[in-house]
């Protein structure tokens, strides 16, 4: 089973809202990732968690706040977003920080 | 700096025809290479990977890829394309941060259209 799940599938939020994206995997993977993908572009790495600790932050604005409550869950808290933050947000996981990454279906975020 | 080039932005093939998608990479050491496929509005699905060993790699859905170090290439092939193969295909190379963490560097993608 190589399934990564993400909720919600779609999210529309205003610039003053606070919302969260959720990602879950039950494969025992110890590394989890958040990516942002704009239309017709490849995914761009945002954050890497390894063994539940934030390992990499790719200079992401503080309006995006990741959280890893346990080894199976990864959240992305959103606050005061801008319209240009509208994108497909993808979660991925890997067995360890050097393994191949398996992606979830994504959350389509629209900021109005 | 590490990079991945997919020279073809758009490819159209007829159903049943063979397919080759090109990928060239720039990486100093032995690369970890991947091909992913993405249907519209969906996540990325791993088709195959190359870490070491046999340079011809078999993947899911009848795809294969060949690693050619001398050409810095990792081209994806399929002998007979099905209409359901229409999607965006991304080649990626893993670059390693200090601390052993991998970051995927993606190519720009190739959009495959399949004519009936």
């Amino acid at each position: 089973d190589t399934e990564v799940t993400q909720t919600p599938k779609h999210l529309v939020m205003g610039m003053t809202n606070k919302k969260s994206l959720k990602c879950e995997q039950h494969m025992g993977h110890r590394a989890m990732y958040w990516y942002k993908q704009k239309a017709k572009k490849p995914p761009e790495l945002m954050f890497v968690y390894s063994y539940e600790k934030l390992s990499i932050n790719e200079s992401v604005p503080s309006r995006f706040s990741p959280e890893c409550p346990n080894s199976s869950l990864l959240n992305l808290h959103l606050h005061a977003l801008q319209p240009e933050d509208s994108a497909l947000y993808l979660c991925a996981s890997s067995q360890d920080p050097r393994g191949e990454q398996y992606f979830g279906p994504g959350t389509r975020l629209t900021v109005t | 700096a590490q990079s991945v080039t997919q020279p073809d932005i758009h490819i159209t093939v007829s159903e049943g025809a063979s397919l080759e998608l090109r990928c060239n990479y720039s990486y100093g050491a032995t690369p970890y290479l991947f091909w992913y496929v993405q249907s519209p509005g969906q996540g990325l699905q791993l088709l195959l990977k190359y870490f070491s060993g046999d340079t011809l790699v078999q993947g899911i859905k009848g795809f294969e890829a060949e690693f050619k170090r001398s050409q810095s290439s990792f081209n994806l092939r399929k002998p007979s394309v099905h209409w359901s193969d229409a999607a965006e295909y991304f080649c990626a190379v893993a670059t390693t941060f200090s601390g052993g963490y991998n970051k995927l560097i993606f190519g720009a993608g190739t959009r495959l259209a399949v004519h009936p």
Side-chain angles (χ1 to χ4, degrees), chain B residues 7-8 13 17 25 27 30 36 39 41 49 52 55 60 72-73 79-81 84 93-94 113 115:
Chain B
D8 305 304
V13 299
Y25 67 89
Y27 190 72
T30 300
Y36 286 89
S39 297
K49 64 182 187 277
S52 65
T55 56
I60 62 171
S72 298
S73 69
S80 178
V81 171
S84 60
V93 64
H115 276 326

Side-chain angles (χ1 to χ4, degrees), chain A residues 13-87:
Chain A
M13 59 185 291
M15 289 189 285
T16 59
N17 291 159
K18 286 185 180 180
K19 296 287 185 182
S20 297
L21 310 184
K22 180 180 174 182
C23 173
E24 195 164 4
Q25 57 87 14
H26 294 288
M27 297 177 280
H29 288 180
R30 303 314 303 268
M32 297 185 76
Y33 311 77
W34 279 116
Y35 287 84
K36 174 182 178 180
Q37 186 180 24
K38 301 285 278 185
K40 301 186 187 301
K41 296 289 187 182
E44 298 175 352
L45 181 66
M46 301 174 72
F47 303 103
V48 180
Y49 271 83
S50 177
Y51 297 91
E52 302 165 46
K53 293 185 179 178
L54 181 63
S55 302
I56 297 171
N57 177 339
E58 288 282 272
S59 302
V60 179
S62 59
R63 57 185 184 269
F64 295 91
S65 175
E67 178 196 20
C68 189
N70 60 57
S71 60
S72 300
L73 274 177
L74 186 65
N75 297 322
L76 185 63
H77 303 298
L78 313 172
H79 173 56
L81 295 192
Q82 303 297 309
E84 59 265 29
D85 296 320
S86 298

Side-chain angles (χ1 to χ4, degrees), chain B residues 84-104:
Chain B
S84 60
D85 293 324
E88 187 88 22
Y89 290 79
F90 291 101
C91 180
V93 64
T95 181
T96 304
F97 287 100
S98 62
Y101 307 108
N102 269 358
K103 173 180 177 177
L104 290 180

Side-chain angles (χ1 to χ4, degrees), chain B residues 19-38:
Chain B
L19 172 69
E20 183 169 28
L21 302 183
R22 296 183 291 164
C23 173
N24 293 98
Y25 67 89
S26 172
Y27 190 72
T30 300
Y32 289 0
L33 294 161
F34 308 87
W35 275 100
Y36 286 89
V37 62
Q38 186 177 33

